[in-house]
Amino acid sequence: MINPPRDKLDYDYADRSLDCEEAMEPGFQAITDCMLEVGWTRAETLRALKRLIAADNMTQKENAKTEAQLAIARAMIRAGKPL
């Protein structure tokens, strides 16, 4: 089970980042252990995790850009302006 933040509504409490790391650590260790058991090196595993994080960041940026473009298009349509 993953521990939730101590205060789900306060996104800026002092130890929130540390709490997140502590909640994630068992899963991270499990993934790392599984990768090592089947033959991947620690360096390969960490490099792959970094690339997955980077890819997720790019996806999130693209999604935000698409959402902004859709909001602009909807506003233009409501205003009766051509796209």
Side-chain angles (χ1 to χ4, degrees):
M1 181 177 136
I2 297 173
N3 293 329
R6 281 184 274 157
D7 187 344
K8 291 182 184 180
L9 300 177
D10 182 1
Y11 294 98
D12 201 26
Y13 71 84
D15 290 333
R16 187 174 172 100
S17 182
L18 179 61
D19 288 349
C20 183
E21 287 178 36
E22 288 176 355
M24 194 181 300
E25 187 175 4
F28 171 78
Q29 289 301 325
I31 289 170
T32 302
D33 291 345
C34 288
M35 298 299 285
L36 295 172
E37 284 176 21
V38 298
W40 297 104
T41 67
R42 185 170 300 279
E44 290 168 324
T45 300
L46 296 178
R47 191 168 35 255
L49 285 169
K50 287 178 187 177
R51 288 182 178 172
L52 287 170
I53 291 167
D56 183 68
N57 285 336
M58 291 297 291
T59 298
Q60 294 303 316
K61 287 178 186 177
E62 285 299 316
N63 288 345
K65 181 179 174 183
T66 300
E67 287 298 320
Q69 290 170 336
L70 288 171
I72 292 168
R74 284 191 291 269
M76 291 176 71
I77 290 168
R78 281 193 301 272
K81 299 191 179 206
L83 296 178

